[in-house]
Amino acid sequence: MADYPAELVRQRVLFDGSPVTIRPIRAADAPLEQDFVHHLSADSRYKRFMSTLNELPPGKLRYLTEIDYVRHLALVAIIERAGQEVEIGVARYVAGPKGDDCEFAIAIDDAWQGSGVAGILMLSLIDAARARGMKTMEAFILAVNDKMIKFARQLGFTVRRDPDDPGMMHAVRPL
């Protein structure tokens, strides 16, 4: 596992003036990640995980938080609330078998959608993926997830229906 990439820690400001910290996830963030998933609406959990899970099973939680920062990178958006860190969003990529392409996923707490945090996370993730040698980024998006399809297009992804699954859209962008 690579060292923690402290150079990716950033302080940003959301549209409403709220300060947010963008940083790579750590294994110690497992409770924060679990709490984040608990607070997502059923619809948001379904659109992110494409299942109706209510909480992350231990193996999935480890997979999402114990990463190598090169082939698998996750950036979390953190705010302070009553002196505690609260995760309000996460964007990640996982490299494909070739090692120079990756698939991304993003989830934003329902209360923070439209705040600008998704754009901040994705632009940071795209820059980090490019710096780690990724040439292409892609995602598979539920065809009914209009907001995510629009967002991917705004970020420069080409979005087309997946020929193998009409219920899915395939978003691709060169880095």
Side-chain angles (χ1 to χ4, degrees), residues 9-12 19-23 76-79 85 121:
V9 178
R10 302 272 188 277
Q11 302 301 316
R12 296 289 185 256
V20 64
T21 300
I22 306 299
R23 64 169 174 78
V76 290
I78 303 291
I79 61 163
E85 285 191 331
L121 278 169

Side-chain angles (χ1 to χ4, degrees), residues 14 17 27 38 52 57 62 64 68-69 73 80 90-92 101 109 121 145 147 150 165-166 173:
L14 302 179
H38 278 160
T52 56
R62 267 191 310 281
L64 294 175
D68 69 13
Y69 303 113
L73 177 67
E80 290 270 330
V90 59
R92 76 179 58 245
D101 63 328
D109 183 285
L121 278 169
N145 193 347
K147 283 172 46 175
K150 180 181 178 185
D165 183 349
R173 176 193 159 145

Side-chain angles (χ1 to χ4, degrees), residues 30-45:
L32 207 61
E33 182 75 2
Q34 188 71 273
D35 194 49
F36 170 72
V37 171
H38 278 160
H39 285 97
L40 291 175
S41 68
D43 184 56
S44 289
R45 280 194 306 270

Side-chain angles (χ1 to χ4, degrees), residues 7-142:
E7 73 279 3
L8 295 179
V9 178
R10 302 272 188 277
Q11 302 301 316
R12 296 289 185 256
V13 178
L14 302 179
F15 293 149
D16 70 356
S18 298
V20 64
T21 300
I22 306 299
R23 64 169 174 78
I25 203 165
R26 301 180 293 244
D29 290 329
L32 207 61
E33 182 75 2
Q34 188 71 273
D35 194 49
F36 170 72
V37 171
H38 278 160
H39 285 97
L40 291 175
S41 68
D43 184 56
S44 289
R45 280 194 306 270
Y46 182 74
K47 285 177 178 169
R48 165 55 185 93
F49 296 104
M50 297 180 196
S51 75
T52 56
L53 62 80
N54 289 318
E55 76 174 38
L56 297 168
K60 182 77 167 174
L61 187 58
R62 267 191 310 281
Y63 172 76
L64 294 175
T65 57
E66 296 177 15
I67 61 175
D68 69 13
Y69 303 113
V70 177
R71 293 188 52 80
H72 184 179
L73 177 67
L75 299 175
V76 290
I78 303 291
I79 61 163
E80 290 270 330
R81 185 176 291 144
Q84 297 289 320
E85 285 191 331
V86 177
E87 182 179 332
I88 63 168
V90 59
R92 76 179 58 245
Y93 76 74
V94 177
K98 294 189 311 183
D100 68 350
D101 63 328
C102 60
E103 185 174 341
F104 83 87
I106 185 169
I108 305 298
D109 183 285
D110 295 80
W112 293 90
Q113 291 181 15
S115 69
V117 71
I120 293 169
L121 278 169
M122 278 304 298
L123 292 174
S124 298
L125 188 71
I126 288 167
D127 287 347
R130 187 181 299 118
R132 284 158 176 73
M134 301 298 156
K135 303 281 189 250
T136 307
M137 184 176 274
E138 67 179 344
F140 293 90
I141 305 166
L142 290 169

